[in-house]
Amino acid sequence: LMALVALLNADPDVDGILVQLPLPKHLDSDTVIQSTLPEKDVDGLHIINAGKLATGDLKTGLLSCTPAGAMILVRQIHGKDLSGLNALVIGRSNLFGKPMAQLLLNANATVAIGHSRSRDLPELARQADILVAAVGRAEMVKADWLRPGVTVIDVGINRVAAPEKGDGKFKLVGDVAFAECKPVAQAISPVPGGVGPMTIAMLMANTVIAAHRRGGVTAPSF
Ligand SMILES: NC(=O)c1ccc[n+]([C@@H]2O[C@H](COP(=O)([O-])OP(=O)(O)OC[C@H]3O[C@@H](n4cnc5c(N)ncnc54)[C@H](OP(=O)(O)O)[C@@H]3O)[C@@H](O)[C@H]2O)c1
């Protein structure tokens, strides 16, 4: 696998490399991810790209796709400047929670990050104008966690039994109890069909950006 990444790094016809996670257990994902060239790291997970985001440089690196896509959804509702708005991100993974919190902070939101050791998530959630859930627990966020008019971004993907579809069938649900939360929220992203497609779109956007940069021409912004 490392040899393949080295080959793709060196290939002038390749603009972007994505390490599809999770890797099999006997492989160390981080070693593989860090071996991709930062300028081809279209998933935005290389430490150089993560570091640029952490230090507020959103121009010269590549942004992690899922948070970048989630921010476009937030921007559609609130615009670019989130001054005065409280945001809660539930989940603190390197893959999503941390970069999402950094993007929201960069857009001037007042940001809290909740996780498994947080004391009272429902209470924290009720203070949020923007609530982003990335936990991996089916329908954890309930309607009584929400401040009326909140914008909810549901990142979670959970496979749950769906006996109504037949024996042994499954369906995908998010981390937010969509049906009960929808009437309370100003805007809410569905699962499936919300953040997932945005992630794929941002992967293409990052690839386009990487290709422009490698070609020495000004990259579009998304
Ligand atoms: N739509 C997409 O394209 C996309 C992309 C990425 C991820 N996802 C989905 O998003 C979800 C999260 O992904 P991830 O990679 O960030 O997962 P992860 O690395 O497993 O992180 C989960 C986070 O949730 C927190 N958590 C777990 N149980 C909790 C609880 N009961 N209360 C509060 N916080 C809790 C954990 O806290 P601790 O840190 O304290 O353990 C951790 O920070 C998953 O369902 C994943 O499939 C979707």
Side-chain angles (χ1 to χ4, degrees):
L1 182 56
M2 295 295 278
L4 174 64
V5 174
L7 211 71
L8 297 172
N9 278 341
D11 187 338
D13 289 334
V14 172
D15 293 306
I17 303 169
L18 168 128
V19 181
Q20 181 67 61
L21 301 174
L23 292 180
K25 282 201 170 55
H26 65 286
L27 297 174
D28 178 23
S29 317
D30 201 47
T31 308
V32 182
I33 291 165
Q34 300 310 327
S35 74
T36 59
L37 275 183
E39 53 271 32
K40 291 191 179 187
D41 162 43
V42 285
D43 221 3
L45 297 179
H46 193 285
I47 204 155
I48 296 270
N49 288 319
K52 284 184 175 180
L53 171 59
T55 52
D57 172 4
L58 271 61
K59 294 273 182 249
T60 69
L62 289 165
L63 293 177
S64 181
C65 299
T66 306
M71 273 309 283
I72 290 185
L73 297 179
V74 170
R75 232 183 277 147
Q76 275 190 342
I77 306 299
H78 297 283
K80 278 188 174 172
D81 186 358
L82 307 179
S83 295
L85 296 176
N86 291 339
L88 173 69
V89 180
I90 312 179
R92 56 174 165 176
S93 68
N94 291 332
L95 190 69
F96 183 82
K98 283 178 196 157
M100 185 70 208
Q102 284 158 350
L103 285 173
L104 287 162
L105 188 62
N106 197 271
N108 300 323
T110 302
V111 184
I113 304 178
H115 46 77
S116 68
R117 309 297 178 92
S118 299
R119 195 174 53 210
D120 190 346
L121 272 181
E123 188 46 40
L124 278 173
R126 281 190 280 271
Q127 292 164 34
D129 304 294
I130 299 166
L131 175 67
V132 184
V135 178
R137 292 176 75 98
E139 303 187 325
M140 183 181 91
V141 175
K142 307 294 186 202
D144 65 358
W145 291 34
L146 303 183
R147 165 192 280 220
V150 62
T151 296
V152 180
I153 308 291
D154 191 353
V155 183
I157 303 174
N158 309 286
R159 232 165 68 107
V160 297
E164 71 276 11
K165 290 168 114 185
D167 255 9
K169 295 282 185 199
F170 288 88
K171 65 178 177 184
L172 294 182
V173 299
D175 290 343
V176 177
F178 185 84
E180 63 176 69
C181 288
K182 188 167 179 262
V184 187
Q186 167 185 195
I188 180 167
S189 69
V191 177
V195 171
M198 291 305 294
T199 298
I200 299 165
M202 294 320 290
L203 188 59
M204 294 311 299
N206 274 348
T207 309
V208 169
I209 291 169
H212 277 72
R213 287 184 186 153
R214 276 165 41 74
V217 284
T218 307
S221 54
F222 294 92

